[in-house]
Amino acid sequence: MSNIEEIEVVETSQKRWHWDWLWRILLRPRQVFDQIAQTEVSTWILPVLFLTVISLGVVLATGPVRTQELLARPVEPPPDFQYWSPEMQQEYMQNAQPDPSPALIYVLPAVVAVVKVWLSWVILAALVHLVLTLAGGRGSRVAEFSVAGWSLMPLAVRELVHLVAVLSTQHSIQKPGLSGFIQAETGGGAVFLASLLSFVDLYLVWQVVLLVLGAKRTSGLSTGKTVISVLVAVVLLLVLQALPGFIGAQLSGLQTGGFFPF
């Protein structure tokens, strides 16, 4: 290796911002993960920020659709509503009308979107590093946290696809992932399963493939051990993802979908 090539390798290993990886991770993931395995600094900040910006853009762009759906939502009167006086009925209907304020349509969803992205990445990265270490992997925390960060890129693609779907149909996605195959109205375990399956789609499979490719290069484990370790981490994450959706379904009429973005 010439001196110029050695300098280029050293400079690459010290860089935190690799803008070309935003597209290379989708087309040439092996090359990206080979570089991550040789990188001495964390590189996860760019993909996590990129997904954050995409998520905020989706919140802003779909705000009018959520406003229309909120205003069109029928007001459910209480069981003994017919026995109320006309004045009480009118007052109830006025107070029950939805209020599509900017805080409800934009601010709160934006805050939730940011928390979802960052909390999801932290949990995923910690689980992947822990399981790989327990399996005998020798990868560094820096490299494996970066692998987890760059594995989020398929989720950015999913957000863009969802954005196109919402804007083209003018309706929010009610049954994401595979949750539409479960009759959550039966309650109990079906609600939990529907919440879990709402995160399972082709983009999750894509992300798992990226995690396996990256973890194999950073941990030094065999392909079999790497696949099993990644699947264990992902299953644990899916269970954690499903819990908020399950709890929320019990409190708000069996609505599936959880707190995490994938």
Side-chain angles (χ1 to χ4, degrees):
M1 180 180 296
S2 66
N3 292 334
I4 296 178
E5 291 177 338
E6 291 178 353
I7 293 174
E8 290 179 351
V9 170
V10 172
E11 289 179 350
T12 301
S13 66
Q14 298 296 331
K15 287 178 61 177
R16 294 181 181 272
W17 300 82
H18 297 266
W19 295 96
D20 58 315
W21 289 6
L22 291 175
W23 63 267
R24 287 177 59 197
I25 191 64
L26 304 177
L27 302 177
R28 301 173 182 175
R30 288 184 175 85
Q31 294 181 5
V32 173
F33 289 129
D34 284 339
Q35 290 183 263
I36 289 178
Q38 301 173 5
T39 300
E40 301 174 0
V41 297
S42 298
T43 60
W44 54 262
I45 184 68
L46 179 57
V48 178
L49 282 178
F50 184 78
L51 179 57
T52 301
V53 172
I54 294 295
S55 300
L56 290 175
V58 171
V59 169
L60 294 176
T62 58
V65 175
R66 293 196 305 275
T67 300
Q68 293 176 4
E69 292 179 342
L70 183 62
L71 292 175
R73 186 178 303 170
V75 177
E76 296 292 338
D80 57 347
F81 187 71
Q82 66 271 22
Y83 302 111
W84 294 14
S85 66
E87 293 78 11
M88 294 176 63
Q89 291 180 351
Q90 182 178 4
E91 182 180 0
Y92 175 87
M93 296 302 293
Q94 290 177 348
N95 294 333
Q97 290 296 323
D99 178 24
S101 63
L104 180 63
I105 299 299
Y106 295 102
V107 178
L108 182 59
V111 172
V112 172
V114 172
V115 174
K116 282 162 56 175
V117 170
W118 287 84
L119 185 59
S120 299
W121 166 74
V122 169
I123 295 176
L124 175 65
L127 286 174
V128 168
H129 179 64
L130 175 62
V131 176
L132 289 174
T133 301
L134 293 177
R138 58 179 185 272
S140 67
R141 184 182 63 85
V142 169
E144 287 166 357
F145 270 55
S146 295
V147 167
W150 285 101
S151 74
L152 298 178
M153 290 303 295
L155 307 184
V157 177
R158 180 172 66 184
E159 288 290 293
L160 293 175
V161 172
H162 285 180
L163 174 61
V164 173
V166 171
L167 294 181
S168 60
T169 63
Q170 292 297 300
H171 291 288
S172 298
I173 299 175
Q174 300 299 324
K175 295 289 185 177
L178 301 180
S179 61
F181 293 99
I182 304 298
Q183 296 296 325
E185 290 76 9
T186 59
V191 180
F192 179 82
L193 184 60
S195 179
L196 188 149
L197 290 179
S198 67
F199 304 101
V200 179
D201 54 21
L202 291 177
Y203 302 97
L204 175 65
V205 175
W206 190 358
Q207 182 186 20
V208 170
V209 171
L210 292 183
L211 281 172
V212 171
L213 291 176
K216 188 176 186 303
R217 283 159 174 76
T218 59
S219 66
L221 295 174
S222 64
T223 301
K225 285 188 175 181
T226 303
V227 171
I228 293 175
S229 299
V230 169
L231 290 179
V232 168
V234 171
V235 169
L236 290 175
L237 181 62
L238 287 176
V239 172
L240 293 176
Q241 290 172 333
L243 287 176
F246 173 72
I247 296 172
Q250 305 306 307
L251 301 176
S252 59
L254 302 179
Q255 295 295 320
T256 60
F259 186 74
F260 296 86
F262 56 92

